[in-house]
Amino acid sequence: MVLRFLFVLMILTPSAGWSQDTALNSLKELAAAKKVSRSPQWLRLGHYRHKPLGGYESPLRGNFFIAPDGNTDPEAELNATIDLLFSDDSQKRFSQCRYLARTTWLKAVLNIPESRLATCSERDQWKEQLGATELYIIFASSDLNSAGSSFGHTFLRVHNPKNKKERELLDYGVNYAAITGTDGGALYALKGLFGFYPGAYSMLPYHQKIQEYSNLEGRSLWEYKLALSPLEVEFIINHLLELEGSFAPYFFLSDNCSQQIIELIEVAKPSIPLSDHFRGATIPLDTVKVLNSYGLLSDEKTRPSLQSEWRTRFAGLNRHQKSKLNELVKNNQPDLLSDLSSSEQAEVLEAGLSYLAVKSYRDRNDLKNEKYRLSVARAQLGSQTQPIILPRSKSPLLSPDSQALYLGYGANDELPYLRFKYRRAFHDILADDSGLSPFSHLEILSAEFRYFTETPRLDLHQLVILQSLSTVPVTQFEAPYSWKVDLGTQPKLLPYLHFGVGYSYDLPLLDASRVTLLAVADNHALTERPESFLGGELLFMSRLWNFRSIYSAKLLQDLQLGRGLIEHSFGVSYSPSKISFRLEGKLRESQPEWNISVSF
Amino acid sequence: MKKLLLIALFLGSAQAYAAGDAGCGLGSMIIQKNSKGLQLLAMTTNSFFFTQPLGITSGTSNCSSRGLVMTDQEVQYFVEVNQEDLSREMAQGHGEKLATLAQMKGCQNSAAMKTFGSFTQASYSKIIPSAETTATELVQNLNRELSQQSDLAQLCHGT
């Protein structure tokens, strides 16, 4: 019986195969005639990128490509896709459910008859439960802990219209991240810079993502609705399901979360060349700005971090309440508030609870008993307070571009020069800091040339690899460090490395003022006879309307020559828009230097 | 017939109770991160330990199946993730997470949510009897206390 069955099968197979081949071949011919394998949509679906010397390559690894050379040959991949998805064999055809986005698009382009389409009820059910009709892009800014995280992070919120108002916390967050395991320290940084970690998509309830960012890391979130139709959103979800089981090497600077997120949006908007704006480095904040420049963003909304909530609550207390709060967090005795009115007590207790929440995330200590005691006392007071309203911060979309050009004129020890500077990234302390850490500086890769008009000669004045200053004010409750690291070459290619660490204090002057005291170590001419200095630096920074100023006085001891010296420098800027005008000067060992410049 | 229905109901609730007992097993949300000093280089990685892969083949746990939270475990999951914030917001009687919880319990308009906030304040020590109250206990206590609130039941349909 079995033998007979096999015999019949053997006779039947060639003819069945032949008829299928013709059908598939005509589909492939149609695809070739329509140049489907070179269409933007097909290239986006495979995440193909142009190689510098011609041809294509996709960073995706894993089980994504069907053809053996599918990641470099879009045409071979298209033919393999047609063979697999639209085969006569219903078993093979079930792969349509594995490649939902490819199927949906090819079905329309190649006019695939219904008879060759599979039903994917399991996926349909899953998508129905997810219920996605809208996508939001979430930008996690830095709050104040580190200038570094000013670069930010982006991820998506998949919105189900059933989740109205506050229920939107039950939406899902889709995140692209490096899977780093438990590596730490320098190994982690190096592996990340050079693409040794796989990057992949993951999904968690949005409220769980908020835990990570606004509570754990103290980063405010900015949400923007993406201009995508429900069908385009479904197409992206289909594509995300296709990506299940595949990954791409994660590069911290280039192939990072934001690069993948914009490529994902390109899958639904193949005609918009979003990723063309980013080659070499993808800065999350820049991707949000590029999306905005194509009119893809609307409905800006901010979700303040736990830290901002705590700071707002603290600022709202009167002097007496503040001192009571200080006692309360030390002794954890709610009774000592008894001389305050009920509503004043409620405000102090709420601020105290806010503080304990921030502290427990910071110190990785749950402080259960302390929190519980204050909570019970607060609950007993009943309804006393209204939800606090946080001051609205300026949109990160309005911050100056991360790349900048500086053109200027100045004099060094009475020798006049013209100044040309290019900065790759990211933020200058004298520029507008909307959506960024206030009073911070983060400069990565910049070069300054000076043309001395009298000699005349052109000099490389300074090459910056990294210049960063992060200042966080000390308050009654917290004493975080402020720090700086400068690495580069000056003059010409003579390397230097400077460090500083200390504390900052906010002053109630002008719109905002901060004074920073740092212990500094300056090291010049590292490759020749190194010159090392130890000493202290005082920084005074302030802001009024669109004006910013910085003054620095450094008292340094030359370790080789055993003598002291003082260096003064200052800068004033006026930034009416993304263009900024500035005057900067320096006086070191009676050698004055100044310049005026414009940056944009 | 009535008896049968009662038994079915009893079995159903016993089962729900048992499932509730297990919780979602998400654990504490406070996790160890990479050292602060390397943040500059790590600025865009954002790697996590409790990441779950996206997609339909993700496994099934107590409260989620194929990467999505089961509808009947929504409250339990939400409370486990947000217990810290909820404990604070229940004491002050307002807050975003509390509003989300109130909505999950069927309170839609602002009047209902306000009443829900006053209820969590008034019943605070019953809902969270100690600093060691677990998320599972919190949900059970909340449900028990809620069932005794006839005013709130009227305001919040579907509880």
Side-chain angles (χ1 to χ4, degrees):
Chain A
M1 176 70 203
V2 173
L3 272 176
R4 212 168 116 191
F5 176 71
L6 275 178
F7 179 71
V8 171
L9 207 71
M10 270 170 75
I11 297 175
L12 282 174
T13 311
S15 65
W18 184 80
S19 76
Q20 173 173 336
D21 274 352
T22 48
L24 289 178
N25 281 339
S26 63
L27 277 182
K28 285 184 208 165
E29 275 160 25
L30 178 62
K34 285 190 165 184
K35 295 201 171 80
V36 169
S37 70
R38 290 291 182 273
S39 74
Q41 182 69 78
W42 181 251
L43 295 174
R44 301 294 193 213
L45 276 170
H47 295 242
Y48 292 106
R49 299 170 185 172
H50 285 281
K51 282 203 287 196
L53 300 174
Y56 294 93
E57 183 157 25
S58 169
L60 293 176
R61 308 276 183 276
N63 60 7
F64 184 73
F65 292 103
I66 301 166
D69 53 352
N71 70 325
T72 51
D73 189 344
E75 195 172 356
E77 181 63 15
L78 177 67
N79 288 333
T81 304
I82 293 172
D83 278 337
L84 180 70
L85 299 191
F86 306 117
S87 149
D88 249 356
D89 181 341
S90 64
Q91 207 55 37
K92 277 190 181 173
R93 217 189 291 151
F94 194 64
S95 301
Q96 288 176 17
C97 303
R98 163 79 179 80
Y99 294 102
L100 279 179
R102 291 188 195 187
T103 308
T104 313
W105 183 65
L106 289 175
K107 185 175 83 180
V109 176
L110 303 177
N111 304 315
I112 310 285
E114 284 293 325
S115 60
R116 280 181 186 260
L117 295 176
T119 47
C120 307
S121 49
E122 193 195 24
R123 301 215 161 207
D124 291 344
Q125 268 169 26
W126 189 88
K127 285 197 284 177
E128 199 187 317
Q129 199 190 337
L130 183 67
T133 58
E134 288 172 8
L135 280 184
Y136 288 74
I137 188 162
I138 316 295
F139 171 66
S141 69
S142 86
D143 218 357
L144 35 77
N145 285 329
S146 101
S149 64
S150 289
F151 267 59
H153 174 61
T154 51
F155 62 101
L156 297 172
R157 169 157 72 84
V158 176
H159 180 58
N160 180 339
K162 178 185 93 177
N163 293 333
K164 293 192 181 71
K165 289 191 288 188
E166 285 88 355
R167 267 185 74 100
E168 73 187 20
L169 292 185
L170 302 178
D171 282 347
Y172 284 85
V174 169
N175 193 46
Y176 185 84
I179 303 162
T180 59
T182 49
D183 285 347
L187 181 68
Y188 165 79
L190 282 173
K191 283 173 91 171
L193 276 174
F194 299 106
F196 284 93
Y197 289 122
Y201 281 101
S202 62
M203 192 171 85
L204 278 178
Y206 187 51
H207 58 85
Q208 214 165 341
K209 300 295 304 170
I210 291 178
Q211 281 289 329
E212 288 172 5
Y213 285 99
S214 36
N215 289 4
L216 189 64
E217 300 197 342
R219 294 159 80 166
S220 298
L221 301 180
W222 293 83
E223 304 186 356
Y224 302 89
K225 186 174 161 182
L226 285 165
L228 298 171
S229 69
L231 272 177
E232 287 168 331
V233 172
E234 190 185 354
F235 194 64
I236 287 181
I237 301 292
N238 286 344
H239 182 61
L240 280 169
L241 287 171
E242 263 174 14
L243 289 173
E244 204 180 344
S246 59
F247 61 93
Y250 195 103
F251 291 87
F252 286 3
L253 292 175
S254 50
D255 243 342
N256 54 26
C257 57
S258 297
Q259 178 71 30
Q260 291 292 331
I261 296 278
I262 56 168
E263 287 187 11
L264 191 62
I265 296 166
E266 280 179 332
V267 166
K269 294 275 187 202
S271 56
I272 304 181
L274 295 168
S275 56
D276 288 357
H277 292 264
F278 303 99
R279 287 289 170 248
T282 310
I283 297 172
L285 178 55
D286 288 349
T287 63
V288 183
K289 287 180 183 167
V290 164
L291 286 168
N292 193 43
S293 72
Y294 285 102
L296 289 171
L297 303 185
S298 65
D299 299 21
E300 180 178 84
K301 182 178 167 184
T302 167
R303 200 177 285 280
S305 67
L306 207 56
Q307 270 85 340
S308 347
E309 186 198 317
W310 146 243
R311 285 197 301 275
T312 309
R313 285 188 185 281
F314 181 69
L317 302 180
N318 63 38
R319 189 185 285 267
H320 186 50
Q321 281 176 308
K322 281 180 184 169
S323 80
K324 285 286 179 190
L325 174 63
N326 203 6
E327 279 181 64
L328 181 70
V329 297
K330 276 190 189 129
N331 309 329
N332 204 239
Q333 294 296 339
D335 308 347
L336 59 86
L337 302 178
S338 52
D339 65 328
L340 298 175
S341 74
S342 300
S343 66
E344 280 178 331
Q345 286 185 33
E347 284 163 8
V348 174
L349 286 164
E350 286 175 19
L353 282 165
S354 251
Y355 171 70
L356 289 177
V358 171
K359 188 174 156 67
S360 70
Y361 281 108
R362 198 183 55 213
D363 303 346
R364 309 189 195 294
N365 176 352
D366 55 21
L367 303 170
K368 270 185 189 167
N369 295 315
E370 290 84 347
K371 286 180 189 165
Y372 187 67
R373 203 175 299 180
L374 299 199
S375 297
V376 170
R378 172 63 194 89
Q380 275 166 0
L381 293 169
S383 159
Q384 296 283 348
T385 54
Q386 295 294 320
I388 58 154
I389 294 158
L390 279 90
R392 181 150 180 90
S393 20
K394 222 169 134 183
S395 164
L397 295 177
L398 300 174
S399 64
D401 293 341
S402 61
Q403 295 190 59
L405 270 179
Y406 298 72
L407 302 176
Y409 173 81
N412 186 0
D413 208 12
E414 296 181 4
L415 270 180
Y417 62 82
L418 296 171
R419 178 184 189 223
F420 310 94
K421 178 176 168 180
Y422 166 75
R423 181 190 77 206
R424 177 65 189 87
F426 173 77
H427 171 63
D428 176 333
I429 196 159
L430 283 173
D432 180 11
D433 53 16
S434 310
L436 307 172
S437 305
F439 300 122
S440 70
H441 187 100
L442 179 63
E443 190 167 332
I444 294 177
L445 294 182
S446 64
E448 176 171 346
F449 291 91
R450 289 184 175 180
Y451 180 74
F452 288 88
T453 47
E454 284 182 7
T455 333
R457 65 169 204 273
L458 182 71
D459 269 355
L460 170 67
H461 173 67
Q462 187 185 19
L463 204 68
V464 172
I465 294 168
L466 171 71
Q467 182 176 348
S468 69
L469 169 68
S470 168
T471 67
V472 194
V474 169
T475 64
Q476 207 173 342
F477 295 90
E478 294 163 296
Y481 290 118
S482 293
W483 54 270
K484 68 176 207 174
V485 177
D486 298 341
L487 173 65
T489 69
Q490 185 190 10
K492 299 193 167 84
L493 290 169
L494 219 51
Y496 65 84
L497 176 61
H498 308 327
F499 296 105
V501 64
Y503 293 105
S504 302
Y505 305 87
D506 275 352
L507 304 174
L509 283 174
L510 308 175
D511 282 350
S513 295
R514 187 170 291 172
V515 69
T516 301
L517 294 162
L518 301 169
V520 295
D522 285 8
N523 305 281
H524 298 272
L526 291 174
T527 49
E528 297 190 354
R529 195 177 57 83
E531 298 163 30
S532 300
F533 301 87
L534 277 182
E537 180 172 11
L538 168 97
L539 280 163
F540 178 76
M541 301 159 283
S542 51
R543 175 173 65 81
L544 180 67
W545 306 312
N546 294 325
F547 292 93
R548 283 177 170 72
S549 70
I550 178 166
Y551 165 75
S552 142
K554 267 188 193 179
L555 187 64
L556 297 170
Q557 178 74 16
D558 187 326
L559 297 183
Q560 274 79 27
L561 302 175
R563 64 187 179 94
L565 69 97
I566 297 179
E567 179 186 304
H568 298 276
S569 53
F570 75 91
V572 190
S573 75
Y574 171 61
S575 319
S577 60
K578 288 186 177 179
I579 299 172
S580 147
F581 303 92
R582 56 190 64 207
L583 167 65
E584 288 162 280
K586 189 160 113 177
L587 181 67
R588 181 175 171 128
E589 298 191 277
S590 61
Q591 244 201 59
E593 187 193 328
W594 63 268
N595 69 65
I596 47 170
S597 55
V598 55
S599 73
F600 49 87
Chain B
M1 182 65 209
K2 220 173 181 178
K3 213 171 176 179
L4 210 76
L5 207 76
L6 238 125
I7 289 170
L9 232 133
F10 175 76
L11 279 175
S13 64
Q15 208 175 11
Y17 192 79
D21 258 346
C24 301
L26 294 171
S28 163
M29 286 289 123
I30 298 179
I31 55 154
Q32 201 69 38
K33 295 287 290 186
N34 287 292
S35 62
K36 273 261 180 271
L38 283 156
Q39 265 195 1
L40 249 175
L41 291 165
M43 45 214 152
T44 55
T45 49
N46 305 284
S47 54
F48 305 112
F49 299 105
F50 48 88
T51 275
Q52 70 178 359
L54 180 145
I56 201 155
T57 55
S58 311
T60 297
S61 66
N62 286 333
C63 297
S64 63
S65 161
R66 303 188 303 179
L68 299 175
V69 178
M70 296 168 192
T71 315
D72 57 340
Q73 297 296 325
E74 228 170 23
V75 173
Q76 177 68 31
Y77 194 102
F78 185 76
V79 172
E80 278 191 37
V81 173
N82 299 291
Q83 190 178 1
E84 290 287 318
D85 289 340
L86 277 172
S87 305
R88 195 157 60 92
E89 292 179 6
M90 281 179 167
Q92 71 192 20
H94 51 75
E96 191 185 26
K97 309 266 162 76
L98 188 65
T100 308
L101 182 66
Q103 285 209 38
M104 282 194 266
K105 288 288 174 194
C107 311
Q108 299 299 340
N109 58 41
S110 56
M113 286 199 215
K114 218 173 160 184
T115 314
F116 189 85
S118 303
F119 149 72
T120 60
Q121 283 182 320
S123 311
Y124 195 83
S125 314
K126 288 179 185 152
I127 300 170
I128 310 178
S130 89
E132 304 297 326
T133 305
T134 65
T136 310
E137 289 161 357
L138 193 156
V139 173
Q140 284 165 11
N141 297 342
L142 176 72
N143 289 342
R144 187 192 62 232
E145 292 304 312
L146 260 180
S147 66
Q148 292 161 19
Q149 302 288 319
S150 50
D151 296 359
L152 206 55
Q154 256 182 356
L155 276 167
C156 305
H157 308 287
T159 43

